C-alpha cells in the first residue's frame, strides 16, 4: 500500500506543480530549459515541472505612464515646461520581454525625447494652437519604434504647458490690449450709428415742420414757441454744469433764423415738384 500511496501523492504533487492559473487580461511566458517555449493564455494551463518555468506574467490591458514636467525650448527660443501622459498596451508579450530590458523606463525616455524634439520644431503659438496635430505627430513617431518592443502607443495627452512668468505677463498684456481695441472699435461704431440716426431724425423733423408750414402758414407761431422752449431747456442744462460755458442767444432772432431755413427748404421742395411736373 505504501508504494501506491507514494505514487498517488507524487501524481497529485505533479498535477499541482504543473497547473498554472492565468488571470483574465494577463498573459505569461514559459521557458523550457532556459529557452522560450510558449505563451500561456488566461485560464488553466499545464506545464512540465522542473523543466518548464514561467519567466513573466504581465497584463495586456491599457496602461499609462506619467511623464514628469520637462523643460523644453521652442523654435522661437522660449522655455516652457511640458507635462504629459502616454497611454500604451502590450500587443506582443514575447517581444516586450525579450526585445527590451526595461520596458517602462524605455517608454518614459523615448516619450520624453520625442516630446522635446517635436516641440522644438514648433513656435510657442503653434504649440498652443496645433496641439492635436502635434500629439498625432508624436504618436506616429513613437509607434514606429515601440512596434519592435511589442507595444502600441494608444495616445499621448499634453496636459499642461507652463510659460515663464515674463512671457505669461506679456501675453496677458497683449490680450488686454486686443480686448481694449475691440471695445474702442465697438464704441466708435456705436457713436457713428447714433450720429447717423440722430441726423436722420433731424432731417425727418425738418421735413415734417416744412410740410406743416407749407400747409398752414399760421403754424409759425407754434414753431416760434417750440424754439423758445428748446432754448429754455438748453439754458437750464448748461447752467447745471460747473465747467460749461453759457452762450446767450436771442430766442426771437434764433426762431426767425430757423424759420428762414425752413422757408428756404419749403421753397426748394416746391421748385423741385414744379420741375417734376414739367
Amino acid at each position: 500500500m505504501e508504494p501506491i500511496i507514494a505514487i498517488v501523492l507524487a501524481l497529485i504533487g505533479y498535477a499541482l506543480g504543473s497547473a498554472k492559473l492565468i488571470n483574465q487580461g494577463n498573459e505569461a511566458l514559459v521557458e523550457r530549459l532556459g529557452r522560450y517555449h510558449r505563451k500561456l493564455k488566461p485560464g488553466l494551463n499545464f506545464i512540465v515541472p522542473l523543466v518548464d518555468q514561467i519567466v513573466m506574467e504581465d497584463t495586456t490591458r491599457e496602461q499609462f505612464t506619467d511623464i514628469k514636467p520637462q523643460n523644453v525650448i521652442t523654435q522661437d527660443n522660449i522655455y516652457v515646461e511640458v507635462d504629459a501622459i502616454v497611454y500604451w498596451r502590450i500587443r506582443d508579450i514575447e517581444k516586450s520581454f525579450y526585445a527590451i530590458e526595461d520596458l517602462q523606463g524605455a517608454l518614459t525616455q523615448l516619450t520624453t525625447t520625442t516630446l522635446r524634439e517635436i516641440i522644438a520644431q514648433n513656435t510657442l503659438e503653434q504649440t498652443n494652437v496645433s496641439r492635436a496635430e502635434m500629439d498625432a505627430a508624436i504618436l506616429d513617431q513613437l509607434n514606429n519604434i515601440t512596434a519592435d518592443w511589442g507595444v502600441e502607443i494608444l495616445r499621448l495627452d499634453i496636459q499642461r504647458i507652463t510659460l515663464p512668468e515674463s512671457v505669461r505677463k506679456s501675453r496677458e498684456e497683449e490680450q488686454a490690449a486686443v480686448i481694449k481695441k475691440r471695445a474702442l472699435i465697438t464704441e466708435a461704431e456705436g457713436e457713428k450709428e447714433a450720429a447717423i440716426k440722430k441726423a436722420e431724425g433731424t432731417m425727418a423733423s425738418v421735413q415734417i415742420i416744412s410740410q406743416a408750414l407749407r400747409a398752414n402758414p399760421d403754424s409759425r407761431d407754434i414753431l416760434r414757441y417750440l424754439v423758445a422752449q428748446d432754448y429754455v431747456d438748453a439754458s437750464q442744462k448748461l447752467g447745471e454744469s460747473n465747467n460749461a460755458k453759457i452762450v446767450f442767444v436771442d430766442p426771437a432772432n434764433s426762431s426767425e433764423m430757423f424759420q428762414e431755413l425752413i422757408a428756404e427748404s419749403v421753397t426748394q421742395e416746391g421748385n423741385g415738384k414744379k420741375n417734376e411736373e414739367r
Side-chain angles (χ1 to χ4, degrees):
M1 291 293 295
E2 291 182 359
I4 297 177
I5 295 175
I7 294 174
V8 171
L9 292 175
L11 292 175
I12 294 174
Y14 179 84
L16 293 175
S18 62
K20 298 296 179 182
L21 185 63
I22 305 300
N23 295 327
Q24 182 66 37
N26 289 2
E27 289 183 351
L29 296 178
V30 176
E31 288 184 354
R32 174 167 293 179
L33 300 177
R35 299 187 63 181
Y36 170 73
H37 177 57
R38 64 190 180 97
K39 186 186 306 180
L40 300 183
K41 297 293 184 179
L44 183 61
N45 297 269
F46 294 95
I47 62 173
V48 179
L50 302 178
V51 177
D52 294 342
Q53 181 183 5
I54 296 179
V55 294
M56 177 190 180
E57 181 178 349
D58 203 349
T59 181
T60 56
R61 291 168 291 192
E62 182 175 332
Q63 304 180 64
F64 72 91
T65 300
D66 188 6
I67 306 300
K68 296 181 180 180
Q70 302 292 322
N71 292 321
V72 185
I73 184 170
T74 62
Q75 190 180 36
D76 47 352
N77 296 323
I78 297 178
Y79 284 91
V80 295
E81 188 178 75
V82 182
D83 185 12
I85 293 182
V86 59
Y87 296 86
W88 54 280
R89 174 180 294 168
I90 293 178
R91 291 299 185 185
D92 189 336
I93 193 172
E94 180 183 354
K95 288 184 178 180
S96 69
F97 183 72
Y98 291 107
I100 189 74
E101 177 68 25
D102 181 3
L103 181 60
Q104 288 275 3
L107 286 174
T108 301
Q109 294 299 323
L110 177 63
T111 304
T112 301
T113 304
T114 306
L115 186 64
R116 288 178 174 176
E117 180 182 348
I118 296 297
I119 291 180
Q121 297 173 1
N122 295 270
T123 63
L124 179 61
E125 189 67 24
Q126 292 172 340
T127 301
N128 290 323
V129 174
S130 307
R131 189 172 299 186
E133 291 80 357
M134 190 169 60
D135 290 347
I138 296 174
L139 202 64
D140 291 339
Q141 192 164 333
L142 289 175
N143 277 315
N144 289 334
I145 299 175
T146 59
D148 295 333
W149 300 346
V151 172
E152 178 186 7
I153 307 297
L154 302 176
R155 62 188 180 278
L156 183 136
D157 294 337
I158 298 178
Q159 294 184 308
R160 183 174 60 254
I161 297 179
T162 305
L163 302 177
E165 187 67 18
S166 59
V167 177
R168 186 183 62 80
K169 288 183 178 180
S170 298
R171 290 176 65 88
E172 289 178 355
E173 293 174 357
E174 181 180 355
Q175 187 66 23
V178 171
I179 295 174
K180 184 177 180 180
K181 179 181 178 181
R182 291 176 181 173
L184 292 175
I185 292 174
T186 303
E187 182 180 359
E189 291 177 350
E191 292 177 354
K192 178 181 178 182
E193 185 176 354
I196 293 174
K197 294 293 183 182
K198 185 177 180 180
E200 291 175 350
T202 302
M203 292 177 61
S205 300
V206 171
Q207 291 176 359
I208 293 173
I209 294 174
S210 65
Q211 290 175 2
L213 291 175
R214 187 170 57 251
N216 185 9
D218 295 336
S219 60
R220 296 192 177 191
D221 294 334
I222 300 175
L223 176 62
R224 186 179 295 108
Y225 169 75
L226 294 176
V227 172
Q229 186 179 15
D230 289 341
Y231 170 77
V232 173
D233 292 340
S235 298
Q236 290 178 351
K237 291 181 180 179
L238 289 173
E240 294 175 355
S241 175
N242 295 328
N243 299 325
K245 294 181 179 180
I246 303 176
V247 178
F248 293 95
V249 180
D250 187 357
N253 294 334
S254 63
S255 62
E256 291 177 0
M257 179 180 64
F258 189 66
Q259 291 175 20
E260 292 177 359
L261 292 174
I262 293 177
E264 184 180 351
S265 175
V266 171
T267 303
Q268 291 178 356
E269 288 183 1
N271 294 334
K273 289 183 177 180
K274 289 179 180 180
N275 293 330
E276 290 178 359
E277 290 176 357
R278 290 178 183 177

